Amino acid sequence: MRRGALGALLCALALAAGCEVDRHSERLHSYQVRGVVEAVSPGDGQAVVQHEEIPGLMPAMSMNFDVPNPALLAKLAPGQQIEFTLELRDRSFRITAARVLSEPPAAGAAAAAGASGTHGAAGTSGLLGGVAELDSAPAFRLTDQQGRAVSLADWRGRAVLLDFIYTHCPGPCPILTARHVELQRALPPGLRARVHFASISLDPQRDTPEALRAYAEARGADLSDWSFLTGPAEEISAVLRAYGIGAGRRRGGEIEHLVATFLIDPQGRIARRFLGLEHSAKTLQTALRRAAS
């Protein structure tokens, strides 16, 4: 994706907040936000925060954010009320600073819950949990953007890059899809022939095959080896539970969810799990090459 187009995409997401892009570094102005820490995962460099509305960027919701500074992440614990600096930079949401406004009533119990990757937000149980690397990838059979029934088993023998999105997402989903479109276009022909992309909708009520096809085409996805999947709500819920993708619908209709990508090897095992948006297309390509070899 050209830098000008990328800057336009990011500005579209943050226009109402006064987005100003540095064309050379592609950095945006930061946001000062308040919220409550729900989970911390040092191994993934992630924290889940139930945050207030960020005008022009996203509604109030629970979301996992990249925290690239290990010392900062170590200071965070479930139940803390914090004020934090959020940067939308290089197509990732990063917490770069945080100030604790209040500690949880039972800091020890909350910290223990955080260490196990759990938290108490209604509707989002399972954030930062789910299947681990080398586990067998949970099977599914859903409907693609052409209305065809497809299953994970259909791609056995190829590496599968699986993510979870919804077409009305106001924040990370378009960025995640753009990252994977960039990756798809960059794959050399020999490797691409051994890879399949799949995106499962978090919003089956609205994401019909037609809506998913329009979303994919608008973002430049090549549908010859990329399946955008939907299905009955109960079947989607079962897949989300199996992969540990906590998701809950807020009053305004937006969905708070884990931002996660799973790399499934040709034998059907979880080779890598990527949380958030911090991973680059180059990192993904290297992981795909290893998994598909």
Side-chain angles (χ1 to χ4, degrees):
M1 182 178 290
R2 295 181 179 176
R3 288 183 179 272
L6 173 59
L9 169 64
L10 295 179
C11 264
L13 291 172
L15 184 60
C19 162
E20 296 179 13
V21 180
D22 181 328
R23 296 294 181 183
H24 297 287
S25 66
E26 292 174 355
R27 291 189 61 178
L28 297 171
H29 283 303
S30 60
Y31 302 84
Q32 292 301 122
V33 189
R34 292 195 176 199
V36 177
V37 179
E38 295 186 339
V40 178
S41 179
D44 296 306
Q46 293 268 312
V48 177
V49 181
Q50 185 179 38
H51 61 81
E52 64 188 5
E53 178 185 2
I54 307 174
L57 186 63
M58 67 178 77
M61 64 172 62
S62 292
M63 181 175 162
N64 58 309
F65 294 104
D66 296 303
V67 186
N69 184 340
L72 173 59
L73 188 60
K75 295 178 181 178
L76 301 180
Q80 290 174 334
Q81 293 188 21
I82 62 172
E83 182 177 58
F84 62 97
T85 301
L86 177 65
E87 285 189 352
L88 176 58
R89 182 178 63 179
D90 301 331
R91 293 172 296 168
S92 67
F93 292 97
R94 299 177 180 175
I95 293 178
T96 57
R99 179 169 64 95
V100 177
L101 303 178
S102 68
E103 295 285 354
S116 66
T118 62
H119 62 89
T124 56
S125 175
L127 287 173
L128 298 176
V131 287
E133 293 178 8
L134 300 182
D135 285 351
S136 294
F140 55 78
R141 185 172 179 81
L142 298 169
T143 302
D144 74 3
Q145 69 278 352
Q146 300 297 337
R148 301 170 298 199
V150 297
S151 68
L152 180 60
D154 293 339
W155 309 313
R156 184 62 60 88
R158 283 186 278 178
V160 177
L161 198 70
L162 174 67
D163 61 38
F164 299 82
I165 54 90
Y166 69 105
T167 61
H168 293 82
C169 178
C173 302
I175 299 177
L176 184 66
T177 301
R179 171 73 48 80
H180 293 170
V181 166
E182 177 187 358
L183 170 66
Q184 186 187 44
R185 292 174 176 175
L187 291 179
L191 177 56
R192 183 165 170 177
R194 305 196 305 275
V195 173
H196 193 85
F197 293 77
S199 298
I200 295 178
S201 171
L202 297 155
D203 189 8
Q205 290 88 350
R206 289 193 291 183
D207 285 347
T208 62
E210 294 77 16
L212 287 169
R213 186 168 64 250
Y215 172 92
E217 291 174 346
R219 285 156 182 82
D222 183 344
L223 297 176
S224 64
D225 52 16
W226 194 331
S227 301
F228 285 78
L229 303 171
T230 188
E234 62 274 14
E235 294 183 16
I236 293 292
S237 294
V239 175
L240 299 185
R241 287 194 300 271
Y243 281 88
I245 304 297
R249 189 181 298 274
R250 298 190 66 84
R251 182 176 300 176
E254 306 302 342
I255 297 173
E256 51 189 24
H257 64 94
L258 179 70
V259 180
T261 300
F262 294 86
L263 173 55
I264 303 169
D265 70 18
Q267 290 74 46
R269 300 169 301 193
I270 303 294
R272 289 283 301 274
R273 183 184 71 163
F274 300 91
L275 297 183
L277 299 165
E278 193 78 2
H279 48 280
S280 66
K282 183 177 180 180
T283 297
L284 289 170
Q285 181 169 333
T286 299
L288 276 171
R289 189 182 301 278
R290 290 174 179 170
S293 61

